[in-house]
Amino acid sequence: MKKMLTLLCLLALLLTGAHAQQQVTLQDIASGTYRAENIYGIKPMLDGEHYTQISSDRQRIVKYSFRTGQEVGTLFDVTTARDCTLKSFDDYILSPDERLILIQTDTRPIYRHSFTAVYYIFNVKNNRMEPLSAGGPQQVPLFSPDSHQIAFVRNNNIYLVKLLFGNAESQVTQDGAYNKVLNGIPDWVYEEEFSFNRAFDFSADSKMIAYIRFDESQVPLYSFPWYKGAAPAKEAYALYPGAYEYKYPKPGQKNSKVSVHTYDIKSHVTRRMDLPIDTTDYIPRIQFTSDPEKLAIMTLNRHQNRFDLYLANPRSALCKVAIRDEAPQYIKEQEYGDIRFYPEHIVLMSERDGYNHLYLYTINGNLVRQLTKGNYEVKAFHGWDKATNTCYYTSNEGSPLRSAVYKQDAKGKKTTLTPQVGSHSAIFSSNMAYFIDKFTDVKTPTVITLNDNKGRRLATLLDNAQLKEKTARLELPSKEFFSFTTADGVQLNGWIMKPARFDASKKYPVILHQYSGPGSQQVIDQWGIGAFRDGGLFEAYMCDRGYIMACVDGRGTGGRGAEFEKCTYLQLGVKESRDQAETARYLGTLPYVDGSRIGIWGWSFGGYNTLMSMSDGSNAFKAGVAIAAPSDWRFYDTVYTERFMRTPQENAEGYDAGSAILRAPHLHGSLLLIHGTADDNVHYQHCAEYSEALVQAGIPFDMQIYTNRNHGISGGKTRLHLMGRVADFFLKNL
């Protein structure tokens, strides 16, 4: 009997060991088998005590307590709402008084931020639902502050629905036309590079609408082909390909002409604001303040190194500069993208002292004081509590790899609200009394907790325990952070993953993954590191096959202040590629690394920097993969490119130095180019022209094209195929 028990115990141990040594597959990665759970769509309610969220089956809007995290009610349910034929819904918008809800359905993406949808108005009190409009799908609907009106955009024109008048619908603008004029929504380049999709707002008294008008009639046209393809198939192009045409301004070319207008809802009078700006200037945001006579209009000059905040009178059209900020290189999007208006104050971010910090102004633009200060970056502003004169924010004080949530009182006393070392992001209640914290570090998938504003944990909403249990069965690589100093005397940070059965006496090939674009960060103490931001599962797959995987944030990346980030100004790609070559040389000095077998790959800017790094003359890389890669900045868009490079007419030398095409004859190592034919962001033109340069230079290379795929290259089995191509290429060439 004892022998039998001993044998059973040994068998159990062997089975457990086998179970613990599972290896991740590409199918696992593509299908999200080990994807971390998250909580999305948290929307704080007016009372400061509750928040709402969509149920996991997308059938209900659930009301939760900020104090306990417990469900306390249902605001909307497709199974019980009157006149509702929906089986589920995509998203929702609460009216300012929370009596009405816009239910979003049939969502169809356009570009990165834009989409059309069919909306329904749901009355919480009488549990009844009705269509917002019968005229076709809508874009960016917005409630008026008094909750009695809804404005939206359809076919580039603004429409207004008056709820107190039987949902009477009227058309505010008349001249909207595809590829010509857009009212209330941004054109392609504004949406992509200024990161917004609605360009109109209601005044605080609900009597006026202000909007940006984009005249893109003079912007050059870009087109790309549509094929039938699959997943989904475009049957209209089964025999003959079609084409998609849209306005895309390239460096030095014409942008949309932009202007700000106001519409008086009662008198139907439209006025153009008298903005004293150049015709080439940008207007990346407008927003009404709590004073209906103050419309905030935010502008940038074309070089994007001067930011002006105008306060405009929507009736007289008079505009006055309230705040001006200038930088030697460029103004970052945070300054105008995360600005907050209070009844008597404005809080905005600025890098004027070398690091991104918070500044408090009066509503008329007089600087009160700098709220935060030090050699660290504020990553997010959560709010200012006037009653206690306390501001809440997230910053990376202590390390560019980590972040925490802080509060700071009027005397400058700072309190850390999230003591766990790692990365944090927060959503605060409307009264700043509570916050939901999303915490992660390199070994911990997202943990979401509910806390009060003293930092006390009140409840745990999500701990990803199931994922921890599942990944514990995998033979995962070790994850470590490291730093080294380059030949230029610059200290760089990185992470490295070594095989689970790492043997220091062996020599391993290394594959570097990087993005390297301005202000980006890949080396962060969070679970979502790795090429697909999933905890390094693709890296684990390659580690299982005998590779060391690594990543280094070179010069130009974020988290370390303006000097480090903006040192690449006017010379994109030069220092970034040098730093990746330096990384390869450093790794090659490690006793367990085979310096003759180092590869590099990346997506978008990371693909571009792969091309640049493989052709900088250092011969540091044996193989590389460039996905959706820019190859010459002359082909990219105005806003992004000119922010860092100015125009080709002003900076021809910089454009030449940063051209992967001009470097193509110096390419060293095996290369795989990957691109989608319907990439509206980094056009297939980049890939076509770069590959032609290699052909004319007599350099062999591999190429993978994906039909009808955009910059994200996904859909059907596309992503699985792409990961297989990348893995196989490195297996064959390293």
Side-chain angles (χ1 to χ4, degrees):
M1 187 66 176
K2 286 183 178 179
K3 287 182 178 179
M4 180 65 73
L5 286 172
T6 302
L7 287 170
L8 287 171
C9 288
L10 285 169
L11 182 60
L13 284 170
L14 287 170
L15 287 172
T16 302
H19 191 59
Q21 295 179 358
Q22 293 178 12
Q23 292 186 340
V24 66
T25 68
L26 292 180
Q27 182 63 53
D28 287 332
I29 304 168
S31 61
T33 302
Y34 300 100
R35 184 180 295 122
E37 290 185 310
N38 208 331
I39 296 178
Y40 299 100
I42 294 170
K43 300 184 181 183
M45 298 188 75
L46 289 175
D47 63 6
E49 294 294 325
H50 300 94
Y51 62 92
T52 60
Q53 185 190 339
I54 300 177
S55 60
S56 58
D57 60 8
R58 310 201 76 82
Q59 293 186 343
R60 295 188 301 145
I61 299 174
V62 185
K63 184 178 180 179
Y64 292 92
S65 166
F66 256 120
R67 190 181 300 274
T68 66
Q70 297 298 308
E71 180 178 332
V72 296
T74 299
L75 295 185
F76 171 74
D77 189 331
V78 297
T79 65
T80 60
R82 297 160 65 193
D83 300 327
C84 178
T85 59
L86 304 175
K87 293 183 179 179
S88 63
F89 62 99
D90 302 327
D91 205 349
Y92 66 98
I93 302 169
L94 285 168
S95 65
D97 62 8
E98 298 178 347
R99 293 183 303 105
L100 303 173
I101 307 175
L102 276 173
I103 304 298
Q104 178 183 322
T105 69
D106 195 22
T107 304
R108 301 191 179 191
I110 303 174
Y111 300 122
R112 189 184 297 268
H113 303 284
S114 57
F115 57 89
T116 63
V118 176
Y119 290 88
Y120 295 86
I121 305 168
F122 176 71
N123 189 305
V124 176
K125 188 174 182 180
N126 67 22
N127 196 40
R128 185 183 293 276
M129 195 166 81
E130 59 185 328
L132 169 61
S133 172
Q138 305 92 43
Q139 285 181 253
V140 292
L142 178 69
F143 280 101
S144 60
D146 63 8
S147 302
H148 294 159
Q149 303 169 93
I150 301 171
F152 64 85
V153 173
R154 179 193 292 125
N155 297 330
N156 292 3
N157 280 314
I158 300 171
Y159 290 78
L160 181 65
V161 173
K162 295 184 177 180
L163 304 179
L164 298 182
F165 294 87
N167 294 359
E169 182 177 314
S170 59
Q171 190 169 335
V172 173
T173 64
Q174 307 292 329
D175 60 346
Y178 182 66
N179 278 343
K180 291 182 180 179
V181 174
L182 304 92
N183 293 295
I185 53 173
D187 65 6
W188 185 92
V189 74
Y190 267 72
E191 176 186 332
E192 174 69 24
E193 306 302 358
F194 292 132
S195 308
F196 72 116
N197 65 354
R198 177 171 54 81
F200 70 86
D201 197 19
F202 277 99
S203 61
D205 59 7
S206 303
K207 294 180 179 180
M208 304 194 80
I209 296 174
Y211 62 94
I212 307 176
R213 180 182 184 272
F214 297 82
D215 179 352
E216 62 176 3
S217 57
Q218 299 302 309
V219 177
L221 195 69
Y222 189 87
S223 66
F224 56 79
W226 282 125
Y227 303 96
K228 177 186 175 183
K234 295 182 179 291
E235 297 296 341
Y237 310 124
L239 193 58
Y240 289 93
Y244 182 79
E245 296 182 331
Y246 67 117
K247 296 304 184 84
Y248 186 101
K250 299 192 176 187
Q253 301 298 310
K254 289 183 178 179
N255 282 313
S256 288
K257 295 178 181 178
V258 289
S259 53
V260 178
H261 303 258
T262 60
Y263 173 75
D264 189 311
I265 295 170
K266 185 177 181 179
S267 68
H268 308 297
V269 173
T270 298
R271 301 175 178 89
R272 176 171 176 162
M273 297 298 97
D274 187 18
L275 269 177
I277 62 175
D278 292 337
T279 57
T280 57
D281 286 0
Y282 296 108
I283 307 176
R285 295 290 190 282
I286 61 169
Q287 183 179 341
F288 267 106
T289 69
S290 58
D291 182 347
E293 299 300 311
K294 285 186 172 68
L295 169 65
I297 302 174
M298 288 153 259
T299 73
L300 291 168
N301 61 337
R302 183 146 179 173
H303 284 159
Q304 300 176 62
N305 60 3
R306 189 188 72 241
F307 164 73
D308 284 326
L309 171 61
Y310 287 89
L311 292 177
N313 185 301
R315 297 184 188 277
S316 72
L318 183 66
C319 302
K320 294 183 179 179
V321 175
I323 299 172
R324 170 168 287 183
D325 197 10
E326 297 181 278
Q329 303 91 5
Y330 52 88
I331 300 288
K332 292 177 67 175
E333 187 184 330
Q334 284 176 302
E335 183 149 348
Y336 46 87
D338 201 18
I339 195 167
R340 303 292 179 88
F341 294 95
Y342 296 92
E344 298 173 358
H345 293 89
I346 301 170
V347 177
L348 60 75
M349 296 184 188
S350 172
E351 290 184 308
R352 66 189 62 169
D353 75 347
Y355 291 86
N356 196 60
H357 283 296
L358 299 171
Y359 293 81
L360 179 67
Y361 288 83
T362 67
I363 193 64
N364 292 317
N366 296 316
L367 179 62
V368 178
R369 68 177 183 277
Q370 183 174 343
L371 295 174
T372 59
K373 191 175 181 62
N375 294 343
Y376 61 89
E377 291 188 347
V378 172
K379 310 302 287 186
F381 174 57
H382 303 300
W384 178 59
D385 184 352
K386 182 185 176 184
T388 60
N389 207 355
T390 303
C391 66
Y392 297 84
Y393 61 92
T394 296
S395 78
N396 65 1
E397 184 172 353
S399 169
L401 276 63
R402 300 175 179 90
S403 59
V405 182
Y406 297 88
K407 71 175 179 181
Q408 184 172 289
D409 63 20
K411 296 181 180 179
K413 181 184 177 183
K414 191 184 306 178
T415 304
T416 307
L417 301 180
T418 52
Q420 308 100 311
V421 176
S423 298
H424 294 264
S425 61
I427 300 171
F428 273 77
S429 62
S430 57
N431 59 2
M432 310 306 294
Y434 310 96
F435 71 97
I436 292 171
D437 175 50
K438 295 186 178 183
F439 164 75
T440 176
D441 64 24
V442 73
K443 296 180 179 179
T444 310
T446 304
V447 176
I448 303 178
T449 59
L450 201 156
N451 310 267
D452 66 19
N453 63 9
K454 294 181 175 62
R456 292 180 298 205
R457 181 175 296 189
L458 304 177
T460 298
L461 305 180
L462 176 70
D463 61 8
N464 269 299
Q466 287 185 335
L467 178 60
K468 291 178 185 176
E469 184 180 330
K470 286 165 69 174
T471 54
R473 301 170 191 162
L474 295 172
E475 196 170 49
L476 292 174
S478 63
K479 301 176 183 177
E480 307 164 21
F481 291 106
F482 69 95
S483 62
F484 73 99
T485 301
T486 70
D488 294 326
V490 181
Q491 182 176 311
L492 302 179
N493 298 318
W495 55 252
I496 189 168
M497 297 189 199
K498 301 172 185 175
R501 300 183 184 185
F502 175 72
D503 183 348
S505 66
K506 291 184 177 180
K507 292 276 191 179
Y508 291 87
V510 176
I511 301 173
L512 284 175
H513 178 265
Q514 42 73 52
Y515 180 73
S516 303
S520 65
Q521 276 188 272
Q522 308 300 112
V523 183
I524 305 177
D525 191 1
Q526 63 179 12
W527 177 259
I529 62 172
F532 296 100
R533 301 179 183 177
D534 56 5
L537 293 181
F538 181 77
E539 286 72 17
Y541 178 85
M542 297 304 293
C543 283
D544 287 340
R545 281 145 187 80
Y547 292 83
I548 287 176
M549 310 298 285
C551 174
V552 165
D553 280 341
R555 283 172 290 182
T557 58
R560 298 176 61 175
E563 183 178 355
F564 185 85
E565 180 174 334
K566 296 178 179 179
C567 70
T568 61
Y569 187 58
L570 300 180
Q571 291 278 316
L572 274 190
V574 176
K575 291 178 180 177
E576 298 94 324
S577 56
R578 178 175 172 83
D579 285 351
Q580 294 304 311
E582 285 279 309
T583 299
R585 278 192 284 271
Y586 164 74
L587 292 172
T589 66
L590 301 178
Y592 48 82
V593 168
D594 182 348
S596 67
R597 290 192 295 156
I598 297 181
I600 184 171
W601 75 292
W603 202 304
S604 195
F605 198 103
Y608 161 72
N609 204 36
T610 294
L611 301 179
M612 293 291 287
S613 301
M614 293 180 69
S615 51
D616 73 338
S618 66
N619 297 348
F621 298 101
K622 186 180 181 185
V625 179
I627 305 176
S631 61
D632 192 302
W633 291 114
R634 293 173 177 87
F635 299 152
Y636 201 53
D637 71 60
T638 50
V639 175
Y640 182 94
T641 309
E642 292 175 15
R643 180 184 300 158
F644 309 115
M645 295 284 282
R646 299 200 172 185
T647 66
Q649 294 84 351
E650 297 171 286
N651 183 26
E653 184 179 337
Y655 277 79
D656 286 348
S659 172
I661 291 175
L662 293 181
R663 282 193 181 190
H666 306 291
L667 179 75
H668 174 84
S670 302
L671 174 67
L672 170 60
L673 287 174
I674 297 177
H675 221 103
T677 63
D679 192 332
D680 64 277
N681 185 354
V682 179
H683 301 142
Y684 177 66
Q685 175 188 20
H686 289 266
C687 183
E689 296 292 354
Y690 183 79
S691 63
E692 175 66 4
L694 292 179
V695 169
Q696 298 309 319
I699 299 175
F701 61 98
D702 287 335
M703 200 166 176
Q704 175 66 57
I705 303 304
Y706 288 102
T707 304
N708 289 352
R709 300 306 168 194
N710 65 14
H711 198 55
I713 311 182
S714 62
K717 297 180 180 179
T718 304
R719 184 57 65 86
L720 176 62
H721 188 276
L722 181 148
M723 288 190 293
R725 285 288 277 132
V726 174
D728 289 346
F729 182 81
F730 281 124
L731 288 169
K732 291 174 182 176
N733 289 283
L734 285 185

